[in-house]
Amino acid sequence: MDRSVRVSGGGAAVGEDGGGAAVEVPVGAGGAVGAGGAAVAGGAVGLSGGAGAEALLGAAGLVTLDAMPSQAGPSQAEPVEAEPLQAGSGQAVGSSGPGRAGEAALVGGSASGVPGEVAQGPGAGARAGACGVRAGLRGLRGLRPWRLLPSPTGTPFTFGYAVVLLLTSLFAEYGDPALVSSLHQGSSTDVAHLADRPMFVLVASALWIAGGVTSPYAIVFLLVLTALERRVGGLRTAGVFLLGHAVATLATEVPVGLSVLAGHLPGSSAYRLDYGISFGVAASVGALAGLLTPWLRWAVLAGFGWMLVQDLIAFTDPMTNWGHLLALVVGIATWPVLRGHGRGTPA
C-alpha cells in the first residue's frame, strides 16, 4: 500500500490508520503523528525508513509531502504491524513499517528504546546549559575563602598567636628604637642567652617577626598555621611549631658555641642576634605538606624547598638558612604522628 503523509498549512498532520485510510489529526505546536494513526501532543514521531525527516518537516507545517515512498536502509526488513507506544512527558513513539523496525523518537528529552535513534525535544540544549550554570553556582557557593585565615573559634591558637605577633610588630615599628633594640637583645636565642636561660629565650624569641608584618614569613604563618590547625587541632599545631623552632635553633647555635670555645670563632659570635618565627613556620610547612594530596604535597615541598636553597646559595646568613632547611625536615618527620590525627577538614 502507498504510505503518504500530507500536512496542511495550519499544522495538521495526516497519518494512516493501519487500514489504508487517511486520517487527519490536528497537530499543535510540536505535535506529531505516528504510524497506525496514533497522535501525540507535544511529542515527536518516528517513521519508517528515510521518510522520517520529511514527515517531521511536514508535521511542522513547512512542506507538503505527497505519495512519498518509503526508503529502506541497506538491509530490507519485512513489514510488521505498527504498534503505537504511549507517549507523554519523556516517553517515545515508534513506528514499525518497512525499513527500520521499531524506530523511536525522543519526546521530552528522554532516551528512546533504540540506541542511536534519539532526537531531543525543543529547548533541551538550553535546559542543559541552565543546569550547568546552576551546578557552577553551587560549586562557587561551596567555596569559603575566609577559612584560609584564622578565626577565634575555628583556629584559636593561630588567631591568638597572630594577634600577639601583630602587636609586637606594631610596637617594633612605632615604639622607641632603644627600647625595641633592648627587647630584641633580651629575647635573642644566641649562645650566651641559651647557656643562661634557654627556656625563656626560646619562647620570647618566637614573639617577634624579623622584618615585621610585611615579611613573607608573616603571610606564610597565617595561611599555613591556619590550614594545619584546622586539620590537626591547636595543641598539635603548637607542638609542631615549637618543635621546629627549638630544634633548628639549638642545631644552629650549639655548633657556634662549640666553635667559640675552640677558638675558631670570635667571642662576639656568642652574642649574635637571633629571633623570629621563621624556624617554626618552616616546620609547619613541612608538617602540612604531609596532610595534602600527593601532587599538592610535592608541589609545596618543591616550591618552598627551592626558596630555601636559593637563600642558602646567596650566602647572606648561612646559619639561619641551614636552620630553615633543618626545620622543614623536622616538620616532615612529624608526618607519621599527624596523619593519624588529621581531621580531613579543607583549608
Side-chain angles (χ1 to χ4, degrees):
M1 91 185 43
D2 289 335
R3 294 180 177 270
S4 63
V5 177
R6 180 181 299 276
V7 178
S8 65
V14 176
E16 60 186 30
D17 62 356
V23 179
E24 183 171 355
V25 182
V27 179
V33 136
V40 180
V45 63
L47 295 177
S48 62
E54 292 87 347
L56 288 176
L57 291 174
L62 299 178
V63 297
T64 300
L65 305 177
D66 216 348
M68 179 66 66
S70 299
Q71 299 179 13
S75 59
Q76 300 291 335
E78 295 184 2
V80 182
E81 183 179 357
E83 295 181 6
L85 301 177
Q86 277 195 342
S89 173
Q91 299 294 325
V93 176
S95 70
S96 55
R100 301 173 189 167
E103 287 185 9
L106 182 68
V107 179
S110 64
S112 68
V114 180
E117 301 291 332
V118 176
Q120 293 187 352
R127 288 194 298 271
C131 290
V133 171
R134 286 195 295 269
L137 291 176
R138 284 195 296 269
L140 289 177
R141 285 197 297 267
L143 294 176
R144 293 172 289 179
W146 60 87
R147 288 178 62 84
L148 297 174
L149 298 176
S151 65
T153 55
T155 55
F157 167 73
T158 305
F159 183 85
Y161 197 177
V163 170
V164 172
L165 292 173
L166 177 62
L167 293 176
T168 57
S169 298
L170 291 175
F171 177 76
E173 181 71 21
Y174 301 105
D176 179 63
L179 179 58
V180 170
S181 178
S182 176
L183 290 175
H184 283 167
Q185 289 287 347
S187 304
S188 173
T189 51
D190 53 53
V191 173
H193 284 102
L194 285 173
D196 184 29
R197 41 183 182 175
M199 296 303 297
F200 173 80
V201 292
L202 282 172
V203 174
S205 64
L207 301 179
W208 306 91
I209 302 177
V213 292
T214 59
S215 168
Y217 280 98
I219 301 173
V220 176
F221 168 88
L222 287 177
L223 298 178
V224 170
L225 266 75
T226 298
L228 185 61
E229 185 172 358
R230 289 193 187 282
R231 286 168 168 81
V232 300
L235 287 177
R236 292 184 181 88
T237 301
V240 169
F241 185 93
L242 293 175
L243 180 65
H245 175 71
V247 170
T249 298
L250 294 174
T252 52
E253 292 292 345
V254 168
V256 172
L258 295 177
S259 297
V260 170
L261 291 176
H264 298 297
L265 289 175
S268 58
S269 298
Y271 298 92
R272 174 185 174 274
L273 193 62
D274 186 19
Y275 65 90
I277 61 171
S278 59
F279 290 166
V281 170
S284 300
V285 171
L288 178 63
L291 303 176
L292 303 176
T293 56
W295 68 268
L296 186 56
R297 174 189 312 149
W298 300 118
V300 168
L301 290 177
F304 190 73
W306 176 243
M307 182 186 73
L308 299 183
V309 169
Q310 284 183 314
D311 291 340
L312 187 61
I313 293 173
F315 210 72
T316 54
D317 189 358
M319 190 178 74
T320 300
N321 299 146
W322 278 114
H324 290 153
L325 285 171
L326 180 59
L328 181 65
V329 173
V330 170
I332 294 173
T334 64
W335 287 0
V337 177
L338 297 181
R339 283 174 175 173
H341 301 280
R343 301 173 182 174
T345 306

